[in-house]
């Protein structure tokens, strides 16, 4: 089973976790493993470097949204921005 347009072709049933060492050996930055449950994609096992890249992308996207919000005239005081950053 291949997910459409995803480029992911390493899809296995969750029962493969019984042999988790063998399964984990298949995981590389270019090759995540998707586990299915009852025939549907449920979990993804990805290389830690790919996960870190994903986190950085999420943070960058959030910053872009903040900048776009500010460009639309919804400005905040410096104190409000400091409070927002410190509360994360």
């Amino acid at each position: 089973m291949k997910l459409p347009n995803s480029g992911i072709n390493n899809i296995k049933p969750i029962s493969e976790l019984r042999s988790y060492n063998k399964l984990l050996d298949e995981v590389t930055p270019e090759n995540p493993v998707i586990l299915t449950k009852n025939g549907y994609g449920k979990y993804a096992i990805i290389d830690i470097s790919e996960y870190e890249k994903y986190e950085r992308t999420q943070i960058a996207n959030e910053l872009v949204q903040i900048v776009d919000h500010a460009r639309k005239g919804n400005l905040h005081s410096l104190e409000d921005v400091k409070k927002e950053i410190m509360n994360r």
Side-chain angles (χ1 to χ4, degrees), residues 8-13 16-17 22-28 30-36 42-47:
I8 298 173
N9 56 15
N10 200 355
I11 300 173
K12 309 217 179 252
E16 292 282 321
L17 280 176
K22 180 182 171 199
L23 182 77
L24 293 178
D25 285 342
E26 295 181 32
V27 177
T28 66
E30 303 80 28
N31 189 37
V33 174
I34 304 300
L35 298 177
T36 62
K42 183 72 175 171
Y43 305 102
I45 302 174
I46 62 172
D47 183 83

Side-chain angles (χ1 to χ4, degrees), residues 65-79:
Q65 288 177 352
I66 291 169
V67 169
D68 286 344
H69 188 72
R71 283 186 179 147
K72 291 177 183 171
N74 303 317
L75 303 176
H76 301 280
S77 72
L78 181 57
E79 287 305 313

